[in-house]
């Protein structure tokens, strides 16, 4: 595959990857059903506001791997970094489907998924931009836009899955 074609394949792949990891921002769709699920399971009285800490921590730890992701990317290459971050992200979502308390959600969704997101996001942007030195702004904008667009696309999909199968199954399916 020639370089011109390869760079477009990399850009498209990066966009789809960012669309997937942007599903972290569907948390608002999960919080109320997950609070209800945990209340039934544990006899507690959690509200979606009580679960906000899960999303706050996820968004706080992502930048850690974004910051160190450049160095990790240079050492191991984008394929390994995206693969590892993707496994962390998807694995964290799947583990969230087994959560039985807030602490488990903090571990799975906040830490594992959040750190995986940071690895993937930083790597997709930087790798795509490297292949387009002539269109750096365009490529950075497109990959970032698809990440943001995920917050529009994924919540209705997650809500439909939650309505049909419950929040724990939705975590597993999206993961």
């Amino acid at each position: 595959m020639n370089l011109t074609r390869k760079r477009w394949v990399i850009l498209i792949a990066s966009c789809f990857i960012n669309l997937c990891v942007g599903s972290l921002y569907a948390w608002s769709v999960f919080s109320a059903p997950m609070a209800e699920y945990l209340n039934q399971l544990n006899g507690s009285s959690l509200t979606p506001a009580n679960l906000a800490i899960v999303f706050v921590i996820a968004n706080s730890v992502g930048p850690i791997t974004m910051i160190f992701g450049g160095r990790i990317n240079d050492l191991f290459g984008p394929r390994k970094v995206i693969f590892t971050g993707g496994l962390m992200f998807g694995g964290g979502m799947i583990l969230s489907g087994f959560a039985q308390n807030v602490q488990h959600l903090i571990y799975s969704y906040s830490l594992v998924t959040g750190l995986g997101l940071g690895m993937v996001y930083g790597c997709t942007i930087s790798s795509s931009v490297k292949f387009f030195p002539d269109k750096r702004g365009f490529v950075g904008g497109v990959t970032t836009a698809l990440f943001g667009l995920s917050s529009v696309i994924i919540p209705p999909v997650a809500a439909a899955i939650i309505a049909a199968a419950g929040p724990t199954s939705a975590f597993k399916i999206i993961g």
Side-chain angles (χ1 to χ4, degrees):
M1 183 181 313
N2 66 28
L3 184 59
T4 301
R5 186 169 171 209
K6 181 180 180 180
R7 72 184 196 159
W8 288 101
V9 169
I10 289 169
L11 175 61
I12 291 166
S14 293
C15 287
F16 278 115
I17 291 166
N18 281 356
L19 188 65
C20 291
V21 296
S23 63
L24 180 86
Y25 292 97
W27 175 254
S28 61
V29 175
F30 283 98
S31 62
M34 202 59 191
E36 184 180 321
Y37 169 78
L38 293 174
N39 289 339
Q40 290 173 355
L41 188 67
N42 300 316
S44 55
S45 57
L46 294 170
T47 66
N50 297 129
L51 296 182
I53 190 68
V54 175
F55 188 68
V56 169
I57 294 171
N59 280 294
S60 298
V61 301
I64 293 169
T65 46
M66 282 182 202
I67 291 167
F68 296 108
R71 177 73 176 135
I72 296 167
N73 190 15
D74 290 343
L75 289 173
F76 299 106
R79 286 184 188 182
K80 289 180 181 173
V81 176
I82 290 171
F83 181 76
T84 302
L87 283 178
M88 289 174 66
F89 184 87
M93 291 292 274
I94 292 168
L95 286 173
S96 296
F98 294 98
Q100 296 189 0
N101 55 52
V102 177
Q103 293 78 11
H104 188 183
L105 279 173
I106 289 172
Y107 168 74
S108 59
Y109 194 88
S110 300
L111 297 178
V112 179
T113 301
L115 291 170
L117 166 77
M119 287 179 73
V120 170
Y121 180 75
C123 193
T124 56
I125 302 290
S126 66
S127 295
S128 295
V129 168
K130 285 178 188 175
F131 277 91
F132 286 88
D134 56 324
K135 301 177 190 307
R136 294 170 53 92
F138 169 74
V139 169
V142 168
T143 51
T144 303
L146 266 288
F147 179 75
L149 188 60
S150 180
S151 66
V152 174
I153 295 170
I154 301 298
V157 172
I161 297 169
I162 290 168
T168 58
S169 292
F171 276 126
K172 294 171 191 172
I173 291 167
I174 291 173

